Amino acid sequence: MVDPEVSLEVSCGLPPGPDFADLAVLAERLGYRRVWIYDSAPLWEDPFVHLALAAERTTRIGLGTAVLVPAERSVMAMAAAVAAIARISDGRFRACFGTGFTSRIAAGQRPMKLAALADYVTALRQLLAGRTAVADGQPVRMLHGPGLAGPRPLDVPIWLSVFGPKGAGLATEIADGVVGAPHPTLPTATIMSGTVLDPGEDPRSDRVLEAVGPWRVVDWHNAYAQGGAAAVDALPGGSAWRDALEALAPDGERHLLTFEGHVTHLPDRDRALLEHIDTRTFVGDPERIRRGLARLAGFGFREVVYTPAGPDIPRELTAFAGAAHNS
């Protein structure tokens, strides 16, 4: 994908749900390098179930997670799940982990600390290697007999979604790649949303707003979750958005609504923000999309994860692949 001289893999990211395997089949046919699946128990179904279904129905496309949340599974359960997908996909699986900002906030909890993430990933690596790790103060090991899992060591790439100097330093120590800012030594992927315009289409058409809106309103979600009323009120339309949310739930339950519809659909209070969202970044004709991808490659990214949204995901995947293929 993209121009031959640009070393950039083009992948896609999708939520786990009833259409995931069908869309993975489509993504493989369209030439996407990898399909990444989201993970957030309060928002979506279990990703490993849908990864297994997709692995059974595809043969070439890579599979990845963007991103797994350690706090949602014990490290022993995670090792068994990773081993299963690695086996079913015949080695096409990449596991990426993060601190779980959205999923943790949506459950009324703080994101994991980097130190806890480091301990978890280190223990997971030990388990996949067939060694003994420590979990909950006790030694644990993969005891799967012959034929019940792939032989250890299991060679599964482990990536991290981290940001800032501390995150980059941790990735250097324990990861094979990064989803985040370009890393000085590790391959780095970035996640982006957008849509390819039909000929003559207005960048602020209803179709465009529906297609990019679920991702573009996340700025308001994050502002409220991180900085509270003052932070979200500073954004255009933020005060009215907050009033609508707070009127629906008492103070102790507002975290249940902050990320409602996160990157998939638009509650009415989010729809009111559409007049304020960015419809310039990765919104345009195929040539504009290709120029944007070339810029990402120039920044040092080696993979872009396109995350379509809106009511017609097959249309979005097809149009974006056509643009990236330079056709």
Side-chain angles (χ1 to χ4, degrees):
M1 287 186 165
V2 208
D3 293 338
E5 65 269 18
V6 177
S7 178
L8 183 73
E9 295 180 341
V10 178
S11 300
C12 60
L14 301 164
D19 297 332
F20 181 82
D22 288 339
L23 293 172
V25 171
L26 174 63
E28 180 173 79
R29 187 165 71 245
L30 293 171
Y32 285 95
R33 175 65 184 86
R34 185 173 289 103
V35 56
W36 298 72
I37 196 167
Y38 313 151
D39 180 28
S40 181
L43 297 170
W44 305 303
E45 293 181 340
D46 183 81
F48 287 106
V49 171
H50 294 286
L51 284 169
L53 292 171
E56 289 280 9
R57 294 184 55 194
T58 57
T59 59
R60 302 182 310 278
I61 194 168
L63 303 170
T65 58
V67 294
L68 292 169
V69 182
E72 294 186 351
R73 300 169 188 85
S74 73
V75 70
M76 193 71 252
M78 185 68 78
V82 169
I85 300 304
R87 176 184 59 79
I88 297 169
S89 68
D90 194 23
R92 290 181 282 139
F93 181 50
R94 171 189 296 172
C96 183
F97 294 85
T99 58
F101 176 80
T102 301
S103 67
R104 297 283 288 167
I105 294 294
Q109 305 294 324
R110 292 180 178 274
M112 293 179 68
K113 300 290 188 181
L114 277 179
L117 176 63
D119 290 345
Y120 186 99
V121 172
T122 298
L124 177 67
R125 279 197 177 279
Q126 292 169 337
L127 292 171
L128 296 177
R131 301 198 297 270
T132 300
V134 175
D136 299 323
Q138 295 295 325
V140 293
R141 187 168 61 244
M142 293 186 73
L143 304 176
H144 305 66
L148 296 180
R152 273 72 70 196
L154 288 165
D155 184 19
V156 179
I158 304 293
W159 282 42
L160 294 182
S161 177
V162 287
F163 300 87
K166 289 184 179 179
L170 175 61
T172 302
E173 296 175 6
I174 66 172
D176 299 308
V178 170
V179 174
H183 193 278
T185 60
L186 295 173
T188 308
T190 187
I191 294 174
M192 49 77 60
S193 65
T195 189
V196 181
L197 296 179
D198 292 327
E201 186 176 22
D202 186 332
R204 298 200 66 84
S205 69
D206 288 344
R207 187 202 67 78
V208 170
L209 294 176
E210 293 293 327
V212 303
W215 274 95
R216 305 293 164 96
V217 298
V218 169
D219 288 346
W220 283 260
H221 301 175
N222 289 342
Y224 189 59
Q226 291 178 302
V232 75
D233 287 359
L235 298 177
S239 178
W241 178 87
R242 179 175 61 83
D243 288 344
L245 183 149
E246 293 180 351
L248 293 173
D251 183 51
E253 296 184 5
R254 287 169 185 164
H255 62 276
L256 301 175
L257 296 179
T258 303
F259 291 102
E260 184 182 9
H262 183 65
V263 308
T264 58
H265 61 280
L266 294 162
D268 287 342
R269 62 184 173 278
D270 284 3
R271 195 172 297 283
L273 297 172
L274 293 180
E275 64 178 296
H276 306 297
I277 65 170
D278 166 29
T279 56
R280 295 171 297 175
T281 305
F282 278 103
V283 174
D285 61 22
E287 179 57 32
R288 182 180 177 88
I289 299 300
R290 285 193 288 273
R291 290 198 302 268
L293 293 174
R295 283 194 297 272
L296 291 178
F299 293 151
F301 293 109
R302 289 299 165 257
E303 183 170 358
V304 60
V305 183
Y306 171 57
T307 54
D312 192 350
I313 301 301
R315 182 267 177 205
E316 302 300 331
L317 286 172
T318 302
F320 194 87
H325 269 119
N326 198 23
S327 60

